[in-house]
Amino acid sequence: MTETVRDGARPTFSFELFPPRDAAAESALVGSTLPALVAAGPEFISVTYGASGSTRDVSLDVLRRVLETEVRPMAHLTCVGSSYAEASRLIREFLDAGVTSFLALRGDPPAGVAEKDVFLGDLGSAGELVQLIHRVQAERMPFRQLDVPGVPSAKRLASGEKVTIAVAAFPNGHPRSRSRAQDLDTLLAKQAAGANLAITQLFFDADDYLGFVDAARAAGVTMRILPGIMPVLSVPRLRRILELTGEREPTELLRALEASDDPAAVGIEHATRLASTLLQGGAPGLHLYTFNRHEAPLAVLAGVGLLPIPEPIGNPLA
Ligand code: FAD
C-alpha cells in the first residue's frame, strides 16, 4: 500500500528554490517570489547547493531570508569533494545561522570526472553525510540555536520538534542504477543512517511514484516520500531538465507543449493533473520545484485544492 496522508492530516506542500545567479534575480526572488511562497504557508522551503560548494554563500543568504519568516528553511548540502573536517565545518556554519533541516546529498563529481579518477572526498554517499549531520548536531546539544535572535524556526526546534534530515529518492532509478533493487537498497541505507524524509527526483507519470513507493514500503522504507513536481512551462526547459536528470522523455507532454500557443498553461495543467492523481493515490504531500517563480507552483496547488484559486496570472514566463 502507498503511504497515506499522516494521521488523516491535510497533505503538506513545500517548495525548492535555487541560489540566484545575479543581482536582478536576487531582487526578484526576495521582492516577489519568496513573499508569495511564504504567504502560501508551506511546510518548508528548501534551497539547493552547488556540488563542491560553488554556491555556499548565496545558498546561505537565501536560507537566512527564509529564516526571517515563519517558514522553516531546509538546506541542501552536498559532500562530494569534501574532507570530513570540511563537511563538519560546513554543517556547523549552517547550524550557527539557525538552519536545522537538511537535504543530505552526495552530489555529482565535476563534469568529465569519473568516480574512480580522482579523490572525491571522504564521504562516499549521502548516508554518510546524514550520519555526520546527526553527529555534529548531537555535539551541539542543547541547541545553541535557541540564542539566535529573531529566528522563529529555532524557537520551534527548541520546543521539541524533530530535526528533519531529508534525502533524495529516484522513482525511475538513479542514472547510474542497474536495477530497482539497487535504488531501494540505496534509499534503505539512507534511512538506516538516520534520514527521516525522502524527496523524489521529478517524474512525469503518477504510476512512476506510486509504484516506487509501494516497492519502497515492501522493502522496509517507512519515512515519508514526498513526490517532487516540476511544472514544465516550455519545450527548451523540458529538454534541459531531461538532460540534467536523465529522465525518460514524456512524449505526450512534449507534443502538447510543442503544439500549444500557451505552453505555460499546458505545463501547469499537466502538473496539476499529476499532483491530483498523486494525492488521490495517497501521496503525503507535494514538493514543488519552483525555478524561483511562484506563479506556476501556486497555480498547481490551487488546482488541487490546497490553496485558494489565485487572481489571473498572465504568462508566468513573461
Ligand atoms: P547517493 O544516493 O549517496 O549516491 C552516491 C553515488 O552512488 C551516486 O552519485 C552514484 O554514483 C551512485 N548511486 C546512487 N544511487 C545508485 C543506484 N541506485 N545504483 C547505482 N549507483 C548509484 N545536486 C546538487 O549538486 N545540489 C543540490 O542541491 C541537489 N538537490 C537535489 C534534490 C533532489 C530532490 C534530488 C533528487 C537530487 C538533487 N541533486 C542535487 C542531485 C544529486 O546530487 C545527484 O542525483 C547525485 O548523483 C546523487 O546524489 P544522492 O544524494 O542521491 O547520492
Side-chain angles (χ1 to χ4, degrees):
M1 273 293 290
T2 302
E3 182 189 49
T4 48
V5 173
R6 289 171 307 166
D7 306 323
R10 200 172 158 74
T12 61
F13 59 87
S14 48
F15 301 116
E16 179 188 288
L17 296 173
F18 59 79
R21 297 200 173 95
D22 55 38
E26 184 188 357
S27 109
L29 178 65
V30 172
S32 155
T33 305
L34 187 57
L37 296 178
V38 165
E43 181 190 10
F44 61 85
I45 293 179
S46 76
V47 180
T48 63
Y49 187 85
S52 313
S54 55
T55 67
R56 188 188 68 173
D57 292 346
V58 199
S59 293
L60 202 45
D61 284 347
V62 179
L63 289 159
R64 287 199 174 99
R65 296 278 185 183
V66 182
L67 274 165
E68 289 164 5
T69 75
E70 283 297 316
V71 175
R72 181 160 52 103
M74 176 182 286
H76 295 212
L77 284 186
T78 60
C79 55
V80 67
S82 299
S83 66
Y84 278 112
E86 285 163 346
S88 304
R89 240 192 332 270
L90 183 69
I91 296 162
R92 275 190 212 103
E93 187 180 357
F94 279 63
L95 289 169
D96 280 340
V99 176
T100 53
S101 294
F102 297 93
L103 173 51
L105 298 145
R106 165 80 191 303
D108 289 312
V113 172
E115 290 280 341
K116 58 181 170 30
D117 284 354
V118 290
F119 173 69
L120 285 174
D122 284 333
L123 297 114
S125 71
E128 289 173 48
L129 181 60
V130 170
Q131 286 173 327
L132 187 61
I133 294 170
H134 275 302
R135 204 153 51 236
V136 173
Q137 270 184 330
E139 279 163 20
R140 298 163 56 89
M141 293 282 242
F143 295 112
R144 281 212 293 124
Q145 295 92 310
L146 251 184
D147 302 322
V148 180
V151 176
S153 47
K155 286 179 205 135
R156 284 203 297 277
L157 182 70
S159 70
E161 184 184 321
K162 200 171 163 195
V163 172
T164 301
I165 303 185
V167 288
F170 298 83
N172 289 321
H174 184 276
R176 264 160 285 178
S177 166
R178 287 192 207 91
S179 68
R180 163 63 61 89
Q182 215 174 4
D183 290 310
L184 294 174
D185 284 349
T186 304
L187 189 56
L188 265 176
K190 293 176 184 181
Q191 178 176 276
N196 49 23
L197 177 69
I199 302 178
T200 75
Q201 181 59 282
L202 63 87
F203 55 90
F204 299 99
D205 187 335
D207 286 339
D208 295 344
Y209 168 86
L210 297 171
F212 177 75
V213 173
D214 281 346
R217 297 286 174 250
V221 177
T222 53
M223 61 188 162
R224 265 195 306 158
I225 303 175
L226 288 178
I229 300 201
M230 181 181 289
V232 179
L233 308 183
S234 70
V235 173
R237 184 174 292 177
L238 176 58
R239 293 209 187 284
R240 178 76 183 128
I241 289 161
L242 297 178
E243 200 180 293
L244 288 173
T245 61
E247 285 294 308
R248 282 192 310 270
E249 183 176 286
T251 320
E252 268 180 46
L253 173 61
L254 179 61
R255 279 202 203 113
L257 288 168
E258 281 172 339
S260 175
D261 298 335
D262 188 358
V266 170
I268 290 170
E269 197 202 322
H270 178 273
T272 305
R273 247 185 296 122
L274 176 61
S276 174
T277 312
L278 292 169
L279 293 175
Q280 281 164 22
L286 306 170
H287 182 69
L288 284 135
Y289 296 111
T290 68
F291 265 100
N292 287 13
R293 299 292 301 250
H294 58 277
E295 299 90 340
L298 296 186
V300 171
L301 292 174
V304 297
L306 291 178
L307 289 179
I309 304 289
E311 299 293 315
I313 58 170
N315 181 354
L317 288 179

